[in-house]
Every structure is written in C-alpha cells, then in structure tokens.
Amino acid sequence: MPPKSPRRAGAARSQRASPDGGSAPPAAPRLEVGEAEFVALCDALKVSEGAREKAWRIYESLSAADGAPAYNKKKKETWGVCIFIVAIDLDEMTFTFTELLKSISISVCTFFQFLKEVDVNMDTVSTKVDSTVSRLKKKYDVLLALYHKFERTCGLIYLEQPSSEISAELSSVLVLKNYWITFLLAKGKVLQVEDDLVISFQLLLCVLDYFIKLSPPAMLKEPYKSAVTAVTVNGSARTPRRGQNRSTRTSKQIDTDTKVIEVLCKEHDCNLDEVKNVYFTSFIPFLNSVGIVAANGLPEVEVISKQYNELYLKNKDIDARLFLDHDETLQPDVIACSQLERTPLKNNPDEELNLILPQTPVRAAMNNIQQLIMILNSATDKPSDTLITYFNNCTVNPKDSVLKRVESLDRIFKKKFAEAVGQGCAEIGSQRYKLGVRLYYRVMESMLKSEEERLSVQNFSKLLNDNIFHTSLLACAVEVVMATYGRNASQSDGTSAETDLSFPWILDVFDLKAFDFYKVIESFIRAEPSLTREMIKHLEHCEHRIMESLAWQSGSPLFDLIKQSKEREGQTDQPEPTSTLNLPLQHNHTAADLYLSPVRSPKKKASGPPLSATSTPDAPPGVTPQTQKPQKSTSLSLFYKKVYLLAYIRLRTLFFRLLSEHPDLEPLIWTLFQHTLQNEYELMRDRHLDQIMMCSMYGICKVKNVDLRFKIIVSAYKELPNTNQETFKRVLIREEKYDSIIVFYNLVFMQKLKTNILQYASNRPPTLSPIPHIPRSPYQFSNSPRRVPAGNNIYISPLKSPYKFSDGFQSPTKMTPRSRILVSIGESFGTSEKFQKINQMVCNSDCQLKRSAEVSAAPKPLKRLRFDIEGQDEADGSKHLPQESKFQQKLAEMTSTRTRMQKQKLNDGNDTSASEEK
C-alpha cells in the first residue's frame, strides 16, 4: 500500500505483507521524505486511491530490481512514470500529460527515454501504454516540426521593428501568439489524426493567409506586403465587417484575393490547389464553427485560447501553447537533435568535422510531394491510348470493368479517408486517390509493355480480367501516394514511420489480402523507374511486413496454397525445398506469373498465348486442363524463398548481438527456425516471424546449456530496427488469449517441437539446413558515402532530395537550415569562397599522387577520378574542353559516372532475365 498520509506512512509501511504471505521486513519507523512527496504528487495530480496503490507497487518492484540506485536518485521522475503507467492502464487520467511533466520537472523526450529504461523486465509497461506513448510521441514530433517552421516563416513575413504607426497591440509577440493558438484550435477541430504533417502544414498556411490579410502592410516584409497591397487596391476590405455573413464574406474574398496564398505556396513549395481545397473544405467551416470575432484586425487571443484550453483538457495530452514560451517540458532532446547525418571521417583528426544538416521535416515532405506530382503531371486520370489498345487486344475487353472498379473504389476510399482524418477532408482524400489512379494506369502500361517484350504476345485477357491483380496494383499505387503525403515528422532517413493511414490501412480500405498485395510489389518497383529511393524502401518495408506477419493471418490464401502444396504429392512435398536455400535468389517471375500461378509457368511460353482467356497455358493441343498434373505454385515458392531469406537475415542480426562467442550455434538455430516455418507453419498463424525466431534461439541455447535468458533476448531484440514491443509482449497462446513470449514458448512452442529440440542435444542431431544466399536487395541503393580512390577527401553519396520545386521544374537549392561544403551536380556554383576549399582538396590529392609517383616503380598517372567500377574512358562522353577548370572537369566526370551507375542499376534486372531465359 502506498502511504495514506504523512502521519500514517510509517505504520502502513511496517504492516505491509510480503507477496508470499509472510510479514514484510520491519521498516524504519521514521517517515521518509520521499513518501510524503509521493503523496503530495498524487494529490496534485488528483490520483485515486486505487491508482496510488498500484503505482506504489510498481515503484517498489522497480526499487527491488537491478539498477535500483538509479531509480532512487530519480524518485520523483520514477513516481511520475509509475503514475502515468497506472493511469493509462486503468483509464483514470485525472491529469494532462503536460501537467504530469511539469509536476516532475521533466521534458517530453526525457520522459519517453526514462519510461523505456523503466521497462527493463518487459512486463512493467503494457501494450496499451506503448500505444499511448507512440501516439503522444508522434503528436509531439509533428507539433515541434510545425512550430519551428512557423517561427521561421513568421520571421520572413513580419518586420522585427515595424514603423511607429503600428500600435503596440499588434506587436510581433501578439501576432505569433494569435497565429499559433488559432492554428492549434483549427488543427484540433478539423483533424482527427494528430500525426498528418502535410495536412497540418497546409492548414497552417491557411491560418497565415487569413492573418496576413488582416495585418497592416507596414508590418509586412516583401513579397507579402505587395500581395496585401494588391488585395487592398483591388477593393477587398482588409478588416471584416461584423455584420456581414462570414462565410459569404470569406468566400468572396478568397475568390478575388489569391495573391497571398499564392505567395505562401510558392515560398513553401506547396500545391496551390491542395491548399485552396483545405481552405474551402476545412478552414472556412472552422472559422464559422468557432465564431472568431475580429478586434483591431485580429481575433481576440483570450477567446481562442479559452476554446483551445477546453480541447486540451479534453484530450489530456500536450499543451502546445507552451511552445510560444519555449517551455522546458517541450524542448527537444539535445543528444537526439545532435545525431545529424555526417560526412565520413577526415584523414586528419585535427580538422573540423563537417556536418551535412538534414532537411527539415516540412521541407522534405513538400519536396517529396512536388516530385511525385511532377512525375504524374504527364499521366492522365483515364487509360491512355496504348492501354486502350492492350484492352482491345484482349479476348474479353476489360475496359468497362477497369473503369467501374476505379470509380467504385474512389467512393470507398473517399469515405474511409474522411472517417480516418476528418469529415471535412473528404475532398483531400479524393485528390490523393486521383494521383494514385494516374500512377496505376502509368505502371499498368509499363508492365504490359514489359510482358509484351518478354513473351512476344499482346493478348493479356486473363491477367487484365483478374480483379485481384487490378485491386492490388491500384492499392500499391495509392499506397505510394499515401506514403509520400504521410511522411512523419520524426523521420530523418526517408523510411516510413507508422501513422494512422500507414500500411496496411490501404488493405482494409480495399478489402485486399496481404498475400495478394505482396505479389505486385516487386513488379511495381521494376515498372516505375521514377520512384524515389524513399518510396522503394517503403515498398520493401511493406513487403517485409507481409512476410513477417500479415500474410500469416487467419483467412490468408497463403494457408490454402500451403495445404494444396502438401496434398499435391503427399506430405513429402515442401513449399520450397531446402536444397535451394543456398542458391542466389534470382528469378524471372513477374506479377502476371504470380497472380495466374499455378496456372502457367513462364518457362513454357511457346505453347500458345500464355495470358489468353480462351486457352489454357502450357497445355498441348487437344489436352484438357483436367488431364494435366497440377503445377507447383510459383507465388508460394517465391514467397517462401523470400521468407527464408528475411528470416535468416533477422536471425543473423540478433545472433551476432547475443551469441557471437558461440558461432557453432548459428546453424543449429537456423535449422530449427527453418524446420518450424516449413513443417510447423501453423505456429505462424496470427503470429510473427520474430516470435518463432526468438523461441528457436532460446530453445537451442537451452539444450546446449548456454546461459541466455529470454529477458536478454528480448532486450537485444527491441533495439533492432523496425521492431515493435507488442511482438514479445502480446503473443497468441490460443484462441483470443494472448500473453508474453515466455508463456508462448512454454505452452505452445515447446509442446509442439519438444521432440525436435531435444534431438539437438543427442549424438545424432538433425541434418543442418543450408544457409541462405544473401544477395544485395533488388530495391536498395547505396546509403553510405563512397570514398573516391586516391582522393584526399572526395566522397560520393546519394542525393537526398535537396530540391526546391518552383515554376514547374527542378532547381537545386540549399538544404535547410544551412549547408556547408555540399555539392549537387547541376547546382549553380554560387560564391567562389564555397568552392575554394574543395578545389584545394582536389589539388592536394593530385600533389599526393605526384609525390607517390616519384617513388613508385611503375607510376600510373591519374587523369580523372577513379571509381569502383570499370569501363571508364573518354569514349563515354566525358571528354573535356581544354579551357575547362580542373574542378569543372571532375564535376563533369562525376555526372557521367553517376548517370552510368543509374543506368546500370536499371538494366540489372533485364540482364538477369535474359541470362536465365538463355
């Protein structure tokens, strides 16, 4: 029991019973200061008696565990974490998250980190608390990114010291406060999702537009001053009249006064039509609903602050008004913020380390969106003439069904999007869907062209009349759009973070099975060469999600395919023979093969029109399909190959973190792991691949007498990338009953595989499974900078979208918030000072080479930068004019080499296909 009051705390402590029913050790009769502070903290947060008791028990268990001194030094912080955990689990949040942070004097980032440390035994924090923390963290990340952008933007809009004719009531501080609180209120009222960075930023631009037009021109900088002046000249009233209908007034004003919003969109690389859509469908209804009254040209701060306070107390989360005061509870973690992308270490450790600062989250999101829009500008909302030709060549023309499907899914997507984001955002969802439709038609046409080249046929009737294929392809296209718009504020590497609209949300919207969706991913990537590196990584992540858990859910067609595979030639048949594990994962299968499998085999393409609806592929003339021996499922075979590869890579990563001193155990663990996936695949139903991996590791260590506890395994596992604590905290035990992974091992895994596991302790262990061949991912690009051989300090790294899109074309710009020695091919040279150091580095490199050549027995003159690829000579178009500077020559060579490398990557798949067919 926690202390009831300062007077009775000592007595309650001495009379408390121990967990085994005996008496607890006698406690010191003197009251500890900490206990009185715990009571005071609970009183301040209005915590109920029941919640106090549970929070105190958690604190006692932490104090008795390893590392207790750390918790004793941070008693107040530990109490706050315990109270938060209990309040979430019991649904008794009598305080807001900000009130808790202020009570224990801790920041958001520090609190999250401390909560992670508290959960050392993996049983302190429930999945419910994990989910709440994840939601709070995403909301904080979005608010932090938006506020930083808001501050910088206002600094570009308003003069720091406006003329004396501006009243003190319109000071910059008041303006900032008005803007920000109005935006917070609008965001809370309009959006149901709290982590949509793009719509939130577009809404912020709407607020800026509204306030700028209410501001005196004397306060504004250019180009906003000219835009407001033009609005006034055109006859639009700057200050709204109280007696005029707000919706009518605002609508008329926006119809004629688009100057300001155009400037805002141009300055921030936003799509004007999208921002206008948000203005009309969301922002104007918000203004009408809250009844903001203008005074002196600006809404009254007290009114909007009061309304926001009601919203904040209802949500019980973060008081974002404190960003205006730079409150310590909302300040970002210094260590986390300092983890910037760095150039490789210099040869000279005394030299200053150059940091390449990443783009801001808002800038990165806007760049990705503009790049996608520019790619799809040439595409249409309807099938192209080429697609129509393919449709007409089909035995059964699929055109009508394609159009009806697109229209039907449009209505469903629009409805689901509005339900998830906000009813006022239905048209925003429709805009995103239309972009997805454009990409869908574009990729479909590319796929059909590739199939025509590969198979020398034009009748794709069976494929193009396959509903699952079209739904999967459209879902993949829409997912690319959603992921582009759904970039989370905490992302720094371009990978997709979880949001309310993240994958697999699209599968639920389209009522699509994950296994069917997986079939189109690889072909989609190959068919659309303009996909950004971030989108390719996102689709690869989706594929991994499917292989590790989504495809193994009840109702998945995967289990039917495995069952058919087992029944085809008896129980000896396997989804994928182990003999192929150590072979390279090379295949020539396309989406057509996977969706029509096991009907056809791409190796027998000469036996008639492979994709025709009126003939059976691979069937000799006069032979009916019923007389043929059932074929092996291509989609199942390829799926298992990829699952084995993913499983081994995951296992190897975890193994080297835990068992690097026992290399002989790796093949044993892998054999048990692979055996379970192949022969006991029912253990994967509604479970996760990593759960089987951890149990396999623990089981082998147990029979081999290697001391490795589940706690250690789980501690190392949760530090791996793309892992979720729910994977080991909530495992299916039996129907609708879940428990920890330890319980799953004892009650399910061990019971099923006990005989097999014990064989590893005998003198005749099972035959070891071959180690899978690990190729380079077909989707990945090189992440780390590559050092130019013989170069002193010259590196080449992938360009991370430092583009500013304006006037309909790409023009490289500086990465925000600032750039140092960062060169983009195609960028204007700028100031000479910026390049003097680089030129000096290049010259120093040449000098070193000359000095080394003087003492070398067989000197090789360096006439161009050398890369780790062959075939570079002047015949590739990299010749230079005599008058070009050495640095310009090297830039030209780098451009030429970069182009060749990109072409080589695009042609790798075609070369592999050609060699296999031969």
Side-chain angles (χ1 to χ4, degrees):
M1 297 284 290
K4 302 294 184 181
S5 64
R7 294 181 179 179
R8 296 164 52 189
R13 184 178 175 90
S14 64
Q15 296 175 2
R16 187 167 53 250
S18 62
D20 59 0
S23 299
R30 185 172 58 86
L31 173 67
E32 293 183 8
V33 177
E35 294 182 345
E37 289 181 352
F38 177 82
V39 174
L41 179 62
C42 291
D43 290 341
L45 298 175
K46 302 177 183 178
V47 181
S48 66
E49 288 294 325
R52 294 184 191 204
E53 293 178 7
K54 292 192 175 184
W56 187 258
R57 289 196 198 104
I58 293 176
Y59 171 70
E60 285 185 318
S61 66
L62 291 174
S63 300
D66 296 337
Y71 300 124
N72 293 332
K73 292 179 181 178
K74 300 181 179 179
K75 270 191 174 182
K76 197 169 185 180
E77 293 90 334
T78 308
W79 289 338
V81 167
C82 295
I83 292 171
F84 175 78
I85 292 171
V86 172
I88 296 298
D89 284 334
L90 298 180
D91 290 323
E92 291 186 9
M93 284 290 289
T94 57
F95 49 86
T96 68
F97 185 55
T98 293
E99 288 173 346
L100 174 64
L101 296 178
K102 284 192 162 294
S103 298
I104 60 178
S105 303
I106 195 173
S107 69
V108 174
C109 297
T110 307
F111 180 88
F112 291 149
Q113 182 60 36
F114 192 62
L115 180 64
K116 184 178 179 181
E117 295 172 1
V118 164
D119 195 27
V120 64
N121 290 321
M122 314 305 159
D123 55 0
T124 305
V125 179
S126 66
T127 55
K128 186 177 181 180
V129 175
D130 285 336
S131 177
T132 302
V133 169
S134 177
R135 180 184 64 81
L136 285 170
K137 188 176 186 307
K138 287 186 288 188
K139 183 171 185 176
Y140 169 76
D141 288 335
V142 169
L143 288 171
L144 179 66
L146 290 172
Y147 183 74
H148 286 168
K149 186 71 173 179
F150 167 74
E151 270 194 325
R152 290 191 297 270
T153 302
C154 286
L156 298 174
I157 295 174
Y158 287 94
L159 296 170
E160 295 182 5
Q161 295 180 342
S163 59
S164 57
E165 62 189 61
I166 304 300
S167 64
E169 296 178 356
L170 296 179
S171 64
S172 59
V173 175
L174 180 62
V175 168
L176 285 175
K177 191 173 183 179
N178 244 319
Y179 277 34
W180 182 244
I181 300 179
T182 302
F183 163 69
L184 294 176
L185 182 60
K187 181 177 180 291
K189 293 280 188 179
V190 171
L191 300 181
Q192 293 173 201
V193 293
E194 300 165 327
D195 54 4
D196 195 308
L197 179 64
V198 174
I199 298 181
S200 297
F201 180 64
Q202 292 171 341
L203 191 60
L204 177 60
L205 293 184
C206 294
V207 175
L208 291 173
D209 172 80
Y210 178 79
F211 277 86
I212 288 172
K213 286 186 287 191
L214 294 178
S215 302
M219 292 181 63
L220 304 173
K221 296 180 181 178
E222 294 293 350
Y224 302 98
K225 181 177 181 179
S226 299
V228 170
T229 304
V231 169
T232 307
V233 170
N234 289 336
S236 181
R238 182 175 55 80
T239 304
R241 299 177 181 176
R242 295 176 182 268
Q244 192 174 0
N245 180 271
R246 179 175 295 275
S247 61
T248 303
R249 178 184 69 238
T250 310
S251 298
K252 291 180 178 179
Q253 185 175 346
I254 294 300
D255 285 340
T256 57
D257 307 342
T258 61
K259 294 285 186 182
V260 175
I261 201 72
E262 288 174 1
V263 171
L264 285 168
C265 290
K266 183 177 180 181
E267 291 296 314
H268 296 93
D269 303 314
C270 274
N271 184 278
L272 179 60
D273 292 335
E274 289 184 359
V275 177
K276 282 185 176 181
N277 194 339
V278 173
Y279 201 111
F280 285 115
T281 61
S282 300
F283 186 62
I284 290 179
F286 157 74
L287 292 177
N288 295 332
S289 65
V290 298
I292 292 179
V293 179
N296 296 325
L298 293 173
E300 297 176 357
V301 175
E302 293 75 13
V303 175
I304 56 176
S305 185
K306 181 179 179 181
Q307 293 191 48
Y308 173 75
N309 193 64
E310 295 174 357
L311 188 66
Y312 154 66
L313 294 176
K314 178 183 176 181
N315 294 331
K316 298 183 183 299
D317 50 20
I318 299 172
D319 187 354
R321 292 171 296 186
L322 297 179
F323 278 113
L324 293 166
D325 303 325
H326 297 280
D327 191 272
E328 61 180 9
T329 61
L330 296 181
Q331 293 307 302
D333 183 54
V334 176
I335 297 178
C337 291
S338 64
Q339 293 177 347
L340 304 174
E341 300 179 28
R342 299 169 180 261
T343 58
L345 291 175
K346 294 173 176 283
N347 293 335
N348 185 355
D350 296 329
E351 292 187 39
E352 179 188 1
L353 179 66
N354 285 327
L355 299 182
I356 300 179
L357 301 182
Q359 301 177 88
T360 62
V362 175
R363 168 66 68 191
M366 295 302 107
N367 284 348
N368 288 339
I369 291 169
Q370 289 300 323
Q371 186 170 354
L372 176 68
I373 291 175
M374 290 183 65
I375 291 172
L376 298 178
N377 274 342
S378 59
T380 61
D381 300 332
K382 302 293 181 183
S384 64
D385 293 339
T386 303
L387 270 181
I388 295 296
T389 301
Y390 281 118
F391 292 165
N392 292 335
N393 289 336
C394 292
T395 307
V396 178
N397 194 317
K399 179 181 177 182
D400 291 341
S401 63
V402 168
L403 295 178
K404 288 180 181 178
R405 186 184 299 105
V406 168
E407 183 180 354
S408 173
L409 292 177
D410 183 13
R411 292 192 296 269
I412 294 174
F413 182 87
K414 187 175 179 180
K415 177 183 177 183
K416 295 289 186 180
F417 187 89
E419 291 174 356
V421 180
Q423 292 301 323
C425 300
E427 290 304 318
I428 300 174
S430 183
Q431 281 183 328
R432 296 186 184 182
Y433 179 82
K434 288 178 181 177
L435 288 175
V437 170
R438 290 184 179 185
L439 185 58
Y440 160 69
Y441 287 133
R442 176 185 168 105
V443 173
M444 188 197 307
E445 180 178 328
S446 177
M447 280 185 175
L448 294 177
K449 288 179 179 179
S450 297
E451 285 293 289
E452 181 179 2
E453 294 176 2
R454 189 172 72 105
L455 302 172
S456 301
V457 295
Q458 295 180 338
N459 184 355
F460 301 106
S461 184
K462 197 165 188 66
L463 177 67
L464 293 179
N465 282 282
D466 189 301
N467 177 62
I468 296 179
F469 163 72
H470 282 289
T471 306
S472 302
L473 184 60
L474 180 56
C476 193
V478 175
E479 175 61 27
V480 168
V481 175
M482 295 298 292
T484 302
Y485 277 86
R487 181 187 175 96
N488 188 272
S490 61
Q491 292 171 257
S492 60
D493 60 351
T495 57
S496 291
E498 295 297 316
T499 66
D500 292 338
L501 302 180
S502 291
F503 183 82
W505 179 80
I506 192 65
L507 301 184
D508 297 329
V509 173
F510 284 4
D511 192 22
L512 186 64
K513 299 297 183 183
F515 183 74
D516 291 324
F517 181 83
Y518 133 83
K519 299 176 185 179
V520 82
I521 293 176
E522 186 171 341
S523 292
F524 189 99
I525 294 173
R526 290 181 176 180
E528 184 48 74
S530 62
L531 284 178
T532 64
R533 174 177 171 271
E534 287 78 8
M535 281 305 101
I536 293 176
K537 290 183 67 176
H538 172 73
L539 290 178
E540 183 183 25
H541 178 64
C542 293
E543 186 180 59
H544 288 176
R545 289 279 306 276
I546 292 171
M547 291 190 292
E548 68 190 14
S549 62
L550 297 178
W552 302 96
Q553 294 176 347
S554 295
S556 171
L558 174 62
F559 290 101
D560 293 333
L561 282 176
I562 297 176
K563 184 178 180 181
Q564 293 170 13
S565 176
K566 294 286 186 182
E567 294 174 348
R568 187 172 68 248
E569 296 180 359
Q571 289 296 322
T572 57
D573 189 49
Q574 303 171 1
E576 181 58 30
T578 56
S579 58
T580 64
L581 287 178
N582 55 358
L583 300 178
L585 182 59
Q586 295 179 351
H587 65 90
N588 190 31
H589 301 302
T590 63
D593 300 318
L594 302 185
Y595 282 99
L596 300 181
S597 169
V599 177
R600 63 183 291 269
S601 171
K603 295 181 180 180
K604 300 180 181 180
K605 63 183 182 181
S607 58
L611 299 177
S612 172
T614 59
S615 64
T616 302
D618 306 324
V623 179
T624 60
Q626 288 77 9
T627 63
Q628 281 189 296
K629 185 179 180 179
Q631 298 177 11
K632 186 175 181 178
S633 170
T634 302
S635 59
L636 179 61
S637 176
L638 182 60
F639 178 80
Y640 253 89
K641 285 181 180 179
K642 290 189 173 185
V643 168
Y644 285 153
L645 179 59
L646 177 65
Y648 178 70
I649 292 175
R650 293 273 185 88
L651 173 62
R652 188 180 64 166
T653 304
L654 186 61
F655 182 87
F656 281 115
R657 284 176 177 256
L658 297 171
L659 296 167
S660 58
E661 297 179 356
H662 302 275
D664 54 308
L665 295 183
E666 182 189 4
L668 303 181
I669 298 172
W670 166 243
T671 301
L672 176 60
F673 192 9
Q674 186 273 328
H675 167 83
T676 307
L677 295 174
Q678 174 184 305
N679 300 292
E680 304 295 343
Y681 57 89
E682 280 292 335
L683 285 177
M684 279 293 297
R685 188 183 293 271
D686 296 322
R687 296 190 179 97
H688 196 286
L689 183 70
D690 294 346
Q691 294 165 356
I692 307 300
M693 173 186 69
M694 288 185 279
C695 287
S696 299
M697 179 174 288
Y698 180 79
I700 294 298
C701 289
K702 196 78 172 175
V703 298
K704 288 296 184 180
N705 297 318
V706 175
D707 185 19
L708 182 65
R709 293 174 292 172
F710 247 123
K711 174 184 175 180
I712 304 301
I713 296 176
V714 168
S715 297
Y717 172 77
K718 71 176 185 176
E719 298 300 325
L720 299 180
N722 300 320
T723 56
N724 191 324
Q725 295 199 35
E726 187 169 338
T727 303
F728 53 81
K729 288 185 177 181
R730 189 174 185 270
V731 188
L732 178 66
I733 306 301
R734 52 181 175 267
E735 188 175 355
E736 296 184 359
K737 181 182 180 182
Y738 295 83
D739 213 315
S740 69
I741 192 170
I742 302 176
V743 177
F744 166 72
Y745 176 85
N746 291 326
L747 298 184
V748 182
F749 187 86
M750 186 60 182
Q751 301 304 317
K752 192 75 172 178
L753 291 162
K754 183 175 183 179
T755 303
N756 184 274
I757 293 176
L758 291 177
Q759 291 179 11
Y760 292 89
S762 66
N763 296 327
R764 300 181 62 184
T767 303
L768 298 179
S769 299
I771 299 297
H773 175 81
I774 303 179
R776 180 182 177 187
S777 169
Y779 312 130
Q780 290 178 353
F781 296 99
S782 177
N783 290 329
S784 58
R786 298 178 60 187
R787 190 174 188 273
V788 177
N792 178 35
N793 238 342
I794 306 297
Y795 294 85
I796 298 177
S797 61
L799 187 63
K800 297 191 176 181
S801 302
Y803 289 109
K804 180 176 181 179
F805 294 86
S806 58
D807 302 326
F809 58 89
Q810 298 184 13
S811 58
T813 185
K814 295 180 181 179
M815 296 178 74
T816 55
R818 63 193 179 94
S819 63
R820 291 193 179 180
I821 306 178
L822 177 64
V823 183
S824 165
I825 303 302
E827 182 179 0
S828 59
F829 280 6
T831 60
S832 58
E833 290 81 2
K834 180 179 178 181
F835 291 90
Q836 285 179 354
K837 189 172 183 179
I838 300 179
N839 277 323
Q840 183 180 1
M841 288 158 49
V842 174
C843 292
N844 290 341
S845 175
D846 286 345
C847 291
Q848 291 178 0
L849 286 165
K850 290 178 180 178
R851 285 195 297 267
S852 64
E854 292 175 358
V855 297
S856 174
K860 294 183 179 180
L862 180 68
K863 296 189 176 181
R864 60 181 61 84
L865 293 176
R866 297 181 303 196
F867 295 83
D868 296 332
I869 60 174
E870 298 178 355
Q872 290 195 130
D873 51 40
E874 296 186 0
D876 61 6
S878 59
K879 293 182 179 180
H880 311 296
L881 297 176
Q883 63 270 23
E884 287 184 328
S885 69
K886 180 174 297 186
F887 184 66
Q888 288 174 319
Q889 293 176 13
K890 293 185 183 295
L891 284 178
E893 290 164 354
M894 292 168 68
T895 306
S896 176
T897 303
R898 192 186 194 114
T899 302
R900 279 201 308 276
M901 293 172 68
Q902 291 175 343
K903 289 181 179 179
Q904 183 178 353
K905 289 176 182 178
L906 293 175
N907 293 331
D908 280 345
N910 297 333
D911 295 341
T912 303
S913 301
S915 61
E916 287 184 357
E917 290 192 3
K918 289 180 181 178

